[in-house]
Amino acid sequence: MSADLSESAVPPPTESGESSSGPTRRTLIATGVVVGGAVVAGGTFLAGSEEATAAEAAPSSRVSLTVNGTRRTATVDNRTSLLDLLREHLDLTGSKKGCNAGACGACTVLVDGQRVNSCLTLAVRLEGAEVTTIEGLAEGDKLHSLQQAFIDEDAFQCGYCTPGQIMSGVACIQEGHTNSPEEIREYMSGNICRCGCYVKIVRAVEKTAARK
């Protein structure tokens, strides 16, 4: 076998006749990848820092409102919902966070006597408002008549939707929409019970309204 190198295996001569000591094409490509990666990483880091700074600088406001008969004041991010104000700032966890999109009614409370989905209501827009939650219905140890009716009629299973159901039922009675089971179902349709206790819920509202 011949020991001669093929022509393609012989490195091309340099113009000076000396071996090249400068960077090769491979070295340049590798260096570019490393530098480019560092720039991208640096950009990501800077973007993350800017986002963190923006989050820290989110505008906040001081809001005062009456909750269950007591004047409460808190400083909150302007994006804070009434539900999060109640649960996270005022420690009133009776109102439940279900869908957090206004579709299930688990977070229903009364604002100035009107039922609202507290997950969709901005807290900062309620300056001076009167809010009633499930914790504010009872008078001491005496339950609200609809709370008692839910117990008497066994109108719950898991109980997660119950606070919102009761608050919506109270409003339904106050609004006068209890002339028939069909009307009650219509005006309670925004409250979802995944356990399927609708018949007993309607019965509890109907019986409570009849005693008014």
Side-chain angles (χ1 to χ4, degrees), residues 3-25:
D4 292 337
L5 294 174
S6 66
E7 202 174 307
S8 61
V10 178
T14 61
E15 290 182 1
S16 61
E18 298 176 357
S19 61
S20 174
S21 59
T24 65
R25 183 170 180 272

Side-chain angles (χ1 to χ4, degrees), residues 57-150:
S60 61
S61 299
R62 190 174 179 84
V63 59
S64 294
L65 61 166
T66 301
V67 181
N68 299 329
T70 302
R71 192 70 171 175
R72 307 295 295 269
T73 301
T75 299
V76 297
D77 184 311
N78 287 352
R79 299 164 294 181
T80 300
S81 67
L82 173 58
L83 178 60
D84 285 338
L85 171 66
L86 295 171
R87 291 181 58 85
E88 307 299 334
H89 294 265
L90 304 183
D91 200 29
L92 294 171
T93 57
S95 304
K96 303 304 181 187
K97 182 176 284 191
C99 65
N100 204 34
C104 73
C107 67
T108 303
V109 300
L110 303 183
V111 175
D112 294 331
Q114 304 296 315
R115 48 181 158 173
V116 301
N117 291 319
S118 59
C119 71
L120 296 182
T121 305
L122 288 176
V124 294
R125 299 187 65 183
L126 300 180
E127 178 67 31
E130 292 191 10
V131 178
T132 304
T133 71
I134 190 68
E135 292 93 341
L137 286 186
E139 297 179 3
D141 294 332
K142 183 181 179 181
L143 295 176
H144 186 279
S145 56
L146 185 55
Q147 289 176 306
Q148 187 61 54
F150 264 64

